[in-house]
Amino acid sequence: MRDITPVTVARGDGIGPEITDAVLYVMNAAGARLKVEEVPAGEAVYKRGHPGGLDAAGWGSIRRTRVFLKGPITMPQGYGNKSLNVVARTTLGLFANVRPCVSYHPYVRTRHPRMDVVIIRENEEDLYAGIEHRQTDDVIQSVKLISRPGSERIVRYAFDFARSNHRQKVTAFVKDNVMKMTDGLFLKIFYEIAADYPEIKADHMIVDIGAARLADQPERFDVIVTLNLYGDIVSDIAAQLTGSVGLAGSANIGETCAMFEAIHGSAPMIAGQGIANPSGLLMAAVMMLVHIGQGDIAARIHNAWLKTIEDGIHTADIYARGLGRVRAGTNAFAEAVVERLGQTPVTMPPVGYSTMRPAYDGLNRLAPRVRALKELVGVDVFLQWSGGLPDDLAELVLPLSTEALTLASISNRSQRVWPDGNADVFCTDHWRCRFLANGGPVQHGAIVELLGRLAEAGIDFTQTENLCNFDGKAGFSSPGQ
Ligand code: NAD
């Protein structure tokens, strides 16, 4: 008797219960070796006062099984509730979001018949950390954090994925022409890691033109790896291009836990009618079976599903006259898949999966960094002020310079406005005063002394950022001219 794998399943909201039933029915008929632990998730749980959409028993089950198949959730509108997806990604360390986006030409209508792209999105960092502060009356900031280990982990995952799935190319989408330090770090690591995979072509594109090319010629792409925000947007574009949001599944992968779901939402307008397409969740279930080492069952289901699509048995969202033969409801579609278990598609290429459980640890193996020599060479002091022109602020702040730190520049929304500022720059009430060390590096005490003087003078400083050199190289950007 081969191993039975415990998995946590949540039916979710809207069409969630009906498509989950269909998917469990297909997996059962295909011989998936699962022990399903069902947990409530979504609206009902939010209403019981659990702001993350799962109760303690639900989290306990996921921590035990480490595998979570999740139906779509109706996102709470009420203040204070959190998206279950976002909470699960961060609390379970699900660092990689994997979305295969495939066309099923000529059976499903699409403008891009040869599309077969996998988007791999970093899932934990970037602006999604949600570190936001209102600093002044007019200005709110959101902090974009990109780490070296986080970037390494997702990039290596993407190359490992490409290697084990016989993919030819990995393309990084970044905006390093503007965010030279954060996106620049991601890109540098991308090429460092690419060197370990000489058989896979590596290239990169600026995300804006990359997204435009993807929308126009998706067949030019193979695997795309990108940061959290860009990946969120680009993967929705890619999924839409294949023909229906009802077709694609996704995996959220961590070192110990993983979550699998359809990319679509709970579609409340069609809930309870028995017409929803279960394919997105079924493709997620296929990814789950590969993840738990049941690639043989995954392939059996995937091939039967492809044959069903080829035979023209389509749910309403993809049914088109001339392409579909039978417009099937959710259950009839699932039954058609079950009837075809053991068959393979005739025109579309059949799929095959390994039964080896993929490992996601050991992704951080770049040579350990030699700790850089870090020297404190200044401080940016952000402050709220509405007292006049930049020269007036300089007149106020310059005399507060200390023996160690002197006011070097003032900028507003990153544009330098003093000295030699451009009078056309629109200024808000949010100013950055850059103080640089007079000569060599300074100690933290020098900043404390400076802030003491600013406080005594009644300056409303809202934030400071230390300016450091790392091995003699500036670890901070310069204000725009
Ligand atoms: P949606 O994906 O639920 O629906 C968009 C459109 O696609 C609708 O016309 C819907 O009828 C159709 N559709 C979606 N899935 C389908 C399927 N399987 N078969 C046939 N047609 C399908 O997006 P929405 O309407 O913007 O969101 C509805 C709810 O779902 C919201 O509360 C939203 O926050 C939530 N949502 C949840 C998730 C998730 O749980 N991962 C993802 C996206 C949206």
Side-chain angles (χ1 to χ4, degrees):
M1 179 72 177
R2 290 164 76 185
D3 282 354
I4 291 184
T5 306
V7 298
T8 303
V9 175
R11 286 179 147 71
D13 301 317
I15 58 170
E18 52 208 276
I19 60 172
T20 308
D21 283 344
V23 167
L24 291 175
Y25 168 67
V26 174
M27 284 200 291
N28 204 17
R33 300 175 295 280
L34 304 175
K35 179 173 173 293
V36 171
E37 288 188 16
E38 209 181 301
V39 300
E43 267 188 312
V45 183
Y46 285 115
K47 281 186 189 146
R48 278 196 274 119
H50 301 280
L54 264 178
D55 59 17
W59 287 113
S61 172
I62 296 169
R63 292 218 164 81
R64 202 168 42 248
T65 65
R66 300 178 172 183
V67 184
F68 185 25
L69 180 67
K70 187 182 75 62
I73 303 290
T74 299
M75 295 298 173
Q77 300 298 325
Y79 194 73
N81 285 323
K82 294 187 176 135
S83 152
L84 171 52
N85 296 337
V86 177
V87 175
R89 283 171 197 156
T90 46
T91 56
L92 301 174
L94 308 180
F95 65 88
N97 190 323
V98 184
R99 272 191 183 187
C101 300
V102 187
S103 295
Y104 302 101
H105 177 78
Y107 305 100
V108 178
R109 189 161 285 162
T110 167
R111 273 184 241 130
H112 304 285
R114 287 185 297 117
M115 176 172 183
D116 182 2
V117 184
V118 180
I119 314 269
I120 298 184
R121 158 189 170 195
E122 198 289 316
N123 228 7
E124 294 176 299
E125 301 192 343
D126 198 352
L127 289 160
Y128 283 56
I131 305 172
E132 298 190 311
H133 302 96
R134 178 168 178 177
Q135 296 197 328
T136 68
D137 276 335
D138 289 344
V139 175
I140 295 173
Q141 79 161 6
S142 183
V143 179
K144 170 164 173 158
L145 286 178
I146 301 298
S147 78
R148 181 180 153 87
S151 302
E152 183 190 354
R153 200 148 72 143
I154 190 70
V155 169
R156 197 175 289 285
Y157 177 88
F159 277 99
D160 279 352
F161 179 94
R163 181 174 273 173
S164 52
N165 289 280
H166 313 293
R167 297 272 175 168
Q168 315 292 318
K169 185 170 76 164
V170 180
T171 304
F173 275 8
V174 285
K175 189 81 187 172
D176 67 314
N177 54 334
V178 175
M179 279 155 282
K180 295 185 168 64
M181 296 186 68
T182 46
D183 289 29
L185 172 68
F186 187 87
L187 190 61
K188 180 169 173 290
I189 288 170
F190 174 79
Y191 281 115
E192 275 177 43
I193 291 172
D196 292 344
Y197 301 80
E199 78 281 16
I200 297 168
K201 191 165 179 276
D203 62 6
H204 78 278
M205 295 183 89
I206 302 297
V207 61
D208 39 12
I209 190 66
R213 286 265 166 77
L214 179 69
D216 191 40
Q217 296 172 299
E219 62 283 353
R220 286 176 53 163
F221 295 90
D222 195 344
V223 174
I224 294 172
V225 63
T226 189
L227 300 168
N228 204 341
L229 176 61
Y230 311 145
D232 194 359
I233 298 166
V234 163
S235 62
D236 269 31
I237 296 173
Q240 188 63 38
L241 292 175
T242 65
S244 167
V245 287
L247 289 173
S250 76
N252 292 270
I253 302 288
E255 280 188 15
T256 53
C257 296
M259 178 173 82
F260 301 86
E261 59 181 341
I263 65 151
H264 60 75
S266 58
M269 296 291 282
I270 58 167
Q273 297 176 29
I275 57 170
N277 189 347
S279 300
L281 192 63
L282 191 64
M283 289 303 106
V286 163
M287 294 168 93
M288 178 186 81
L289 291 167
V290 174
H291 172 80
I292 60 176
Q294 298 188 23
D296 49 343
I297 309 292
R300 219 168 123 72
I301 294 174
H302 200 159
N303 284 322
W305 179 81
L306 287 168
K307 183 73 167 61
T308 309
I309 297 292
E310 267 190 9
D311 287 348
I313 299 168
H314 295 173
T315 44
D317 56 319
I318 57 169
Y319 182 87
R321 211 167 289 157
L323 296 180
R325 208 165 46 79
V326 177
R327 187 199 287 254
T330 311
N331 292 342
F333 181 83
E335 266 158 31
V337 175
V338 168
E339 277 164 21
R340 286 162 181 77
L341 287 168
Q343 298 182 31
T344 48
V346 177
T347 328
M348 293 192 279
V351 295
Y353 295 112
S354 162
T355 50
M356 293 278 288
R357 231 188 134 116
Y360 307 114
D361 53 354
L363 292 170
N364 289 107
R365 51 180 194 268
L366 281 180
R369 251 183 110 77
V370 181
R371 227 186 144 125
L373 174 66
K374 183 177 174 189
E375 293 171 315
L376 185 60
V377 295
V379 63
D380 276 344
V381 181
F382 293 79
L383 47 93
Q384 175 165 357
W385 184 75
S386 313
L389 297 171
D391 284 355
D392 302 326
L393 179 61
E395 209 169 287
L396 198 64
V397 174
L398 188 59
L400 302 173
S401 300
T402 65
E403 203 177 311
L405 292 164
T406 302
L407 181 69
S409 67
I410 300 176
S411 54
N412 196 297
R413 292 189 310 167
S414 93
Q415 281 301 305
R416 195 176 72 195
V417 291
W418 181 92
D420 309 323
N422 182 341
D424 294 331
V425 174
F426 176 80
C427 290
T428 66
D429 60 354
H430 180 265
W431 305 81
R432 173 172 61 163
C433 296
R434 173 159 290 185
F435 292 86
L436 291 177
N438 303 319
V442 293
Q443 303 299 313
H444 286 77
I447 296 175
V448 176
E449 186 194 347
L450 173 68
L451 294 180
R453 284 199 187 184
L454 293 170
E456 263 176 43
I459 304 281
D460 180 12
F461 57 85
T462 56
Q463 182 197 354
T464 65
E465 286 289 348
N466 292 357
L467 305 177
C468 296
N469 285 349
F470 289 80
D471 287 337
K473 201 170 156 214
F476 47 92
S477 60
S478 301
Q481 301 299 311

